[in-house]
Amino acid sequence: MVVSWSPDDFGRTAIEHAVSEARLRSASLVVVNATRGDSLVDDHYARGSQVEDLRRVLTETAVPFEIRQSMGSDIADQVLDVAEEVAATLIVVAVHRRSPVGKLIMGSVAQRVILGADCPVIAVKP
């Protein structure tokens, strides 16, 4: 399973649901934290202590996991590429409420993952 994660309430919710699903399915998790390359100003891209906190939380769940951080031109593509690489049976992604104008300007990573995935996607929100 693949879970798109960011170090905020949305990411925490995605991890909680992904861990629950992984337990039900006896699956492992690949956590993807991605940025478009603007990591120095991207609050969704985790820094050292945030990654270590996530590692501690996941270790306590006893669900096998791997954490991947990447940079690329499109966050949704990074998530979908990992899902394809590991032959994911499920993707968990958090959704953010945005206005139509916000979606036009900022885009929607979750929407692009949902529409582009070759496997089921669970969309969650805090």
Side-chain angles (χ1 to χ4, degrees):
M1 292 178 39
V2 169
V3 55
S4 178
W5 174 76
S6 55
D8 55 20
D9 288 341
F10 294 93
R12 190 171 22 265
T13 299
I15 290 293
E16 290 170 1
H17 284 278
V19 166
S20 294
E21 287 294 326
R23 285 182 175 147
L24 287 172
R25 299 165 187 258
S26 299
S28 61
L29 292 177
V30 179
V31 179
V32 178
N33 177 234
T35 184
R36 287 185 304 270
D38 48 1
S39 64
L40 296 178
V41 295
D42 185 355
D43 291 338
H44 296 104
Y45 194 69
R47 307 303 186 271
S49 64
Q50 294 167 319
V51 175
E52 289 311 310
D53 289 345
L54 175 63
R55 189 177 312 283
R56 181 185 46 75
V57 166
L58 289 172
T59 299
E60 291 172 2
T61 70
V63 170
F65 70 91
E66 172 185 352
I67 299 172
R68 295 188 187 186
Q69 288 191 284
S70 61
M71 289 187 193
S73 61
D74 185 86
I75 294 170
D77 284 344
Q78 293 174 70
V79 173
L80 293 170
D81 288 348
V82 170
E84 182 178 339
E85 176 190 332
V86 301
T89 57
L90 181 71
I91 300 171
V92 178
V93 62
V95 293
H96 298 250
R97 183 175 297 250
R98 287 210 171 110
S99 69
V101 172
K103 286 181 188 173
L104 179 65
I105 294 170
M106 301 288 292
S108 170
V109 171
Q111 182 179 17
R112 290 197 314 278
V113 168
I114 291 166
L115 295 174
D118 291 332
C119 64
V121 178
I122 295 178
V124 298
K125 59 183 177 178

